[in-house]
Amino acid sequence: LPLFKGYVGRGLCSGVAIGNVFSSPSVQQCADAAKAVDGGAGVLFLYGNYGGDVFNFDLAVDLLELDGIETRTVLGCDDVASQPKERARDRRGVAGIFFAYKAAGAAAERGDSLDEVAAVAQKVVDNTATMGVGLSPTILPTTGSPSFELPDGEMEIGIHGEPGIHRGPLGTADEIADRILDSVIPDLSLREGDRVAVLVNGLGATPLEELYLLYRRTHRRLTDLGVVIERRYVGEYATSLEM
């Protein structure tokens, strides 16, 4: 997905292993990407918590150890709809990994050690919570058929048709924002005086005007709570085919 290749650059990621659409990169692709960017300080693998990715990257770690390349792994697991708080490490990783890429990339750029960069990435992951809303299914390029069924006029709280927490009539922007915030705010235990960065992300098919409506409500809710929005990002920072 463009999400990953889009964060390769100075002060961000050094390289990326890309699989087919909605498919994990192969073990060899993971290992080759790491070898291509290793400068002797080791390599941090930073990706979303999906079974195929974890399996292939873990096998790549074994290959790289044979070549004397030290690695660390941090998994993005920000989707609060996928698992309860007590199982946060089992959650799926979605758009929240954007923050981890920026923070870990900045730490590496200033010369932090591999362990320090991994610690920064893990701290970001531990303090990130997201929720996705689907309005229509995606058509899988390999099969030409929808990945799941969602009738017109309905929405699903979740991602890619994987088990979510709600399906029902399409709500207003304020109603959708409230539903998301009612889960995200307690999950992060936000309270008066906290400072946050807010990402209102379009996965690719949502007009920017609608994202700004969602941010408007988010800003109001957090301000009323006494939470300071230190930075805000509104746009398409992590995209996915037809989502």
Side-chain angles (χ1 to χ4, degrees):
L1 300 174
L3 156 63
F4 307 108
K5 195 168 184 179
Y7 290 101
V8 174
R10 185 177 180 88
L12 291 165
C13 300
S14 300
V16 60
I18 299 178
N20 289 325
V21 177
F22 298 138
S23 299
S24 304
S26 69
V27 176
Q28 195 61 52
Q29 286 173 313
C30 299
D32 288 347
K35 290 177 184 178
V37 303
D38 176 46
V43 176
L44 170 66
F45 284 142
L46 180 57
Y47 56 93
N49 185 26
Y50 290 87
D53 293 313
V54 173
F55 184 79
N56 286 354
F57 274 100
D58 281 354
L59 287 176
V61 166
D62 294 336
L63 293 179
L64 293 167
E65 285 181 354
L66 297 176
D67 290 331
I69 298 177
E70 189 177 7
T71 64
R72 298 289 184 275
T73 296
V74 174
L75 299 179
C77 47
D78 48 283
D79 181 12
V80 301
S82 58
Q83 292 291 348
K85 181 70 173 179
E86 58 269 19
R87 294 186 59 190
R89 290 294 177 94
D90 295 327
R91 289 173 171 171
R92 296 186 293 253
V94 200
I97 203 167
F98 155 83
F99 291 112
Y101 285 153
K102 286 179 68 70
E109 182 72 18
R110 72 185 179 188
D112 286 11
S113 69
L114 178 59
D115 283 336
E116 289 169 335
V117 174
V120 167
Q122 189 63 61
K123 185 175 181 179
V124 172
V125 167
D126 291 342
N127 288 278
T128 303
T130 68
M131 187 178 284
V133 180
L135 304 184
S136 62
T138 179
I139 307 298
L140 296 177
T142 51
T143 64
S145 59
S147 58
F148 62 98
E149 299 296 329
L150 186 62
D152 288 342
E154 290 197 3
M155 68 176 188
E156 182 172 54
I157 305 293
I159 181 74
H160 291 157
E162 296 178 34
I165 60 172
H166 169 79
R167 178 179 284 202
L170 177 62
T172 66
D174 282 359
E175 289 169 345
I176 292 172
D178 283 340
R179 182 177 286 275
I180 292 172
L181 290 166
D182 287 346
S183 294
V184 168
I185 288 174
D187 196 87
L188 293 173
S189 301
L190 294 181
R191 56 181 58 86
E192 185 176 358
D194 285 346
R195 296 161 59 238
V196 300
V198 172
L199 169 65
V200 181
N201 178 69
L203 280 170
T206 307
L208 188 59
E209 294 91 337
E210 295 183 9
L211 298 180
Y212 277 116
L213 290 175
L214 292 166
Y215 177 75
R216 166 185 169 272
R217 182 65 169 184
T218 302
H219 178 274
R220 179 174 296 175
R221 284 282 305 271
L222 293 177
T223 300
D224 289 346
L225 188 61
V227 173
V228 177
I229 300 177
E230 190 73 25
R231 296 193 179 197
R232 73 277 304 145
Y233 302 89
V234 182
E236 296 184 341
Y237 290 88
T239 58
S240 184
L241 185 66
E242 296 180 319
M243 294 298 292

